[in-house]
Amino acid sequence: ETFLGWLGVSPSSEVRSQMHELPVELPVTPAAEVPPQALTVIDLCCGKATFSMLLTYLAARLPLLRAKVARVIMVDKMQEGAAVAPSDRVNWSHISATVADLEERGRLENGESPLSAEPAADAAGPNPAAAALAHLAALPVSPWGGVNIHDEAFSDRLHALPGPVAMVGVHLCKGLSPRCVGLFNGLGPAKAPFLSLAPCCLPRLAREGGWTVALYEPPAHRAARKGRLERRAWC
């Protein structure tokens, strides 16, 4: 099946390779019980946002997933815009199509007529409205472009999100995987009850001397550390 939002994502061997990364051992804070509130999923270093797209369209067919996830935030150092340098620019036009899908879903769920002139192939079945909804994105997707995940400000931004978050990292190369785990640890088990990580390049990093992973800081310790950094910046 073809979904409107996927037209901006080209299938390639690179996408397939992201599903076959080597597992490695990293120190991770044990997660808490899955909270009753819906999660915000953080798609870290998302690139073309393949995972975010999969999640929002799978949620259309999996009611439990839609009930458990409030939205998806796709994070990357790349960003859209004509003023952005070509080396830092990404085409996220398929995300705009996903937003259009969500608006169409809202109209159908409110009993309004669809804007699409072509119904889904299976929309002539016993429940055409449900069939049409099954082809539409079901979770809001928010792009956070131009983000350096190593900045302390990014950690602050995650802490400020309402409700619990789920951290996801697919094909995170070199120091990005330890940083992902450090962010997860830093949020704490109550704020971040879930982590899924498919790293890349870590065996090579281990041979070159290893890496450092941040552990959980209680809020008071974190505030004291930030205060010391701010005072040091003024000196």
Side-chain angles (χ1 to χ4, degrees):
E1 297 176 39
T2 300
F3 298 105
L4 176 63
W6 285 101
L7 297 180
V9 182
S10 300
S12 67
S13 58
E14 180 181 354
V15 173
R16 289 192 296 271
S17 73
Q18 292 183 8
M19 306 305 168
H20 300 282
E21 300 301 334
L22 288 172
V24 296
E25 184 175 336
L26 290 168
V28 176
T29 302
E33 294 289 331
V34 176
Q37 312 99 298
L39 294 157
T40 294
V41 175
I42 308 298
D43 185 5
L44 205 62
C45 305
C46 64
K48 293 285 280 185
T50 304
F51 173 78
S52 295
M53 295 286 288
L54 278 171
L55 199 63
T56 189
Y57 282 100
L58 281 174
R61 294 169 181 252
L62 300 174
L64 181 61
L65 177 59
R66 191 180 179 196
K68 294 292 186 182
V69 177
R71 63 170 173 158
V72 185
I73 297 177
M74 37 183 281
V75 178
D76 204 90
K77 69 175 183 178
M78 309 284 278
Q79 56 187 318
E80 289 188 298
V84 179
S87 59
D88 296 325
R89 189 185 307 155
V90 65
N91 179 7
W92 280 335
S93 59
H94 49 289
I95 302 302
S96 300
T98 300
V99 172
D101 257 11
L102 287 165
E103 293 173 351
E104 181 83 334
R105 169 177 286 278
R107 282 188 289 270
L108 290 175
E109 290 179 338
N110 289 329
E112 301 175 26
S113 300
L115 291 183
S116 174
E118 297 184 7
D122 54 356
N127 192 343
L133 288 172
H135 289 260
L136 296 173
L139 298 175
V141 179
S142 304
W144 285 8
V147 172
N148 181 352
I149 70 167
H150 296 281
D151 285 348
E152 185 70 24
F154 176 63
S155 177
D156 293 340
R157 201 171 176 185
L158 294 178
H159 276 276
L161 287 171
V165 302
M167 302 288 292
V168 176
V170 179
H171 198 102
L172 299 195
C173 291
K174 298 183 179 178
L176 296 177
S177 288
R179 177 57 174 165
C180 175
V181 175
L183 288 166
F184 171 76
N185 288 342
L187 290 170
K191 181 68 176 179
F194 180 86
L195 167 68
S196 177
L197 175 63
C200 175
C201 309
L202 285 187
R204 186 174 67 195
L205 281 181
R207 292 193 297 270
E208 293 173 355
W211 51 81
T212 300
V213 173
L215 300 178
Y216 175 64
E217 285 181 298
H221 292 186
R222 183 168 179 270
R225 178 178 58 80
K226 291 183 65 178
R228 289 193 297 271
L229 290 175
E230 290 171 2
R231 288 192 297 272
R232 191 177 302 166
W234 280 98
C235 294

